[in-house]
CSV table of all heavy atoms in Angstrom, one decimal:
chain,number,residue,atom,x,y,z
A,1046,LEU,N,21.3,58.4,45.3
A,1046,LEU,CA,21.2,59.4,46.4
A,1046,LEU,C,21.9,58.8,47.6
A,1046,LEU,O,21.8,57.5,47.8
A,1046,LEU,CB,19.7,59.7,46.7
A,1046,LEU,CG,18.9,60.3,45.5
A,1046,LEU,CD1,17.4,60.3,46.0
A,1046,LEU,CD2,19.5,61.6,45.2
A,1047,THR,N,22.5,59.6,48.4
A,1047,THR,CA,23.2,59.1,49.6
A,1047,THR,C,22.3,58.5,50.6
A,1047,THR,O,22.6,57.7,51.4
A,1047,THR,CB,24.1,60.2,50.3
A,1047,THR,OG1,23.2,61.3,50.6
A,1047,THR,CG2,25.1,60.6,49.3
A,1048,THR,N,21.0,58.9,50.6
A,1048,THR,CA,20.0,58.4,51.6
A,1048,THR,C,19.1,57.4,51.0
A,1048,THR,O,18.1,56.9,51.7
A,1048,THR,CB,19.1,59.5,52.1
A,1048,THR,OG1,18.4,60.2,51.0
A,1048,THR,CG2,20.0,60.6,52.8
A,1049,SER,N,19.4,56.9,49.8
A,1049,SER,CA,18.4,55.9,49.1
A,1049,SER,C,18.3,54.6,50.0
A,1049,SER,O,17.2,54.1,50.1
A,1049,SER,CB,19.0,55.6,47.7
A,1049,SER,OG,18.8,56.7,46.9
A,1050,ALA,N,19.3,54.0,50.4
A,1050,ALA,CA,19.3,52.8,51.2
A,1050,ALA,C,18.5,52.9,52.4
A,1050,ALA,O,17.6,52.1,52.8
A,1050,ALA,CB,20.7,52.3,51.4
A,1051,GLU,N,18.8,54.1,53.1
A,1051,GLU,CA,18.0,54.2,54.4
A,1051,GLU,C,16.5,54.5,54.1
A,1051,GLU,O,15.7,54.1,54.9
A,1051,GLU,CB,18.6,55.4,55.1
A,1051,GLU,CG,18.1,55.6,56.5
A,1051,GLU,CD,18.1,54.4,57.5
A,1051,GLU,OE1,19.1,53.6,57.4
A,1051,GLU,OE2,17.2,54.2,58.3
A,1052,ARG,N,16.2,55.2,53.1
A,1052,ARG,CA,14.8,55.5,52.7
A,1052,ARG,C,14.1,54.2,52.3
A,1052,ARG,O,12.9,54.0,52.8
A,1052,ARG,CB,14.7,56.5,51.6
A,1052,ARG,CG,15.3,57.8,51.8
A,1052,ARG,CD,14.4,58.6,52.8
A,1052,ARG,NE,15.0,59.9,53.1
A,1052,ARG,CZ,14.4,61.0,53.2
A,1052,ARG,NH1,13.1,61.0,53.0
A,1052,ARG,NH2,15.0,62.1,53.5
A,1053,LEU,N,14.7,53.3,51.6
A,1053,LEU,CA,14.2,52.1,51.2
A,1053,LEU,C,14.0,51.2,52.6
A,1053,LEU,O,12.9,50.6,52.7
A,1053,LEU,CB,15.0,51.3,50.2
A,1053,LEU,CG,14.4,50.0,49.8
A,1053,LEU,CD1,13.0,50.1,49.2
A,1053,LEU,CD2,15.3,49.3,48.8
A,1054,ARG,N,15.0,51.2,53.4
A,1054,ARG,CA,14.8,50.5,54.7
A,1054,ARG,C,13.7,51.0,55.5
A,1054,ARG,O,12.9,50.2,56.1
A,1054,ARG,CB,16.1,50.6,55.5
A,1054,ARG,CG,16.1,49.8,56.7
A,1054,ARG,CD,17.2,50.1,57.7
A,1054,ARG,NE,17.0,49.4,58.9
A,1054,ARG,CZ,16.1,49.7,59.9
A,1054,ARG,NH1,15.4,50.8,59.7
A,1054,ARG,NH2,16.0,49.0,61.0
A,1055,THR,N,13.5,52.3,55.6
A,1055,THR,CA,12.4,52.8,56.4
A,1055,THR,C,11.0,52.4,55.7
A,1055,THR,O,10.1,52.1,56.5
A,1055,THR,CB,12.5,54.4,56.4
A,1055,THR,OG1,13.8,54.7,57.0
A,1055,THR,CG2,11.4,55.0,57.2
A,1056,LEU,N,10.9,52.5,54.4
A,1056,LEU,CA,9.7,52.1,53.7
A,1056,LEU,C,9.4,50.6,54.0
A,1056,LEU,O,8.2,50.3,54.3
A,1056,LEU,CB,9.9,52.4,52.2
A,1056,LEU,CG,8.7,52.3,51.3
A,1056,LEU,CD1,7.7,53.3,51.7
A,1056,LEU,CD2,9.1,52.4,49.9
A,1057,LEU,N,10.4,49.8,53.9
A,1057,LEU,CA,10.2,48.3,54.1
A,1057,LEU,C,9.8,48.2,55.6
A,1057,LEU,O,8.9,47.3,55.9
A,1057,LEU,CB,11.4,47.6,53.8
A,1057,LEU,CG,11.7,47.1,52.4
A,1057,LEU,CD1,13.1,46.6,52.2
A,1057,LEU,CD2,10.7,46.0,52.0
A,1058,ALA,N,10.4,48.8,56.5
A,1058,ALA,CA,10.1,48.7,58.0
A,1058,ALA,C,8.7,49.1,58.2
A,1058,ALA,O,7.9,48.4,58.9
A,1058,ALA,CB,11.1,49.6,58.7
Side-chain angles (χ1 to χ4, degrees):
L1046 301 174
T1047 57
T1048 59
S1049 293
E1051 187 59 32
R1052 298 289 175 139
L1053 181 59
R1054 183 194 175 280
T1055 301
L1056 189 64
L1057 273 170

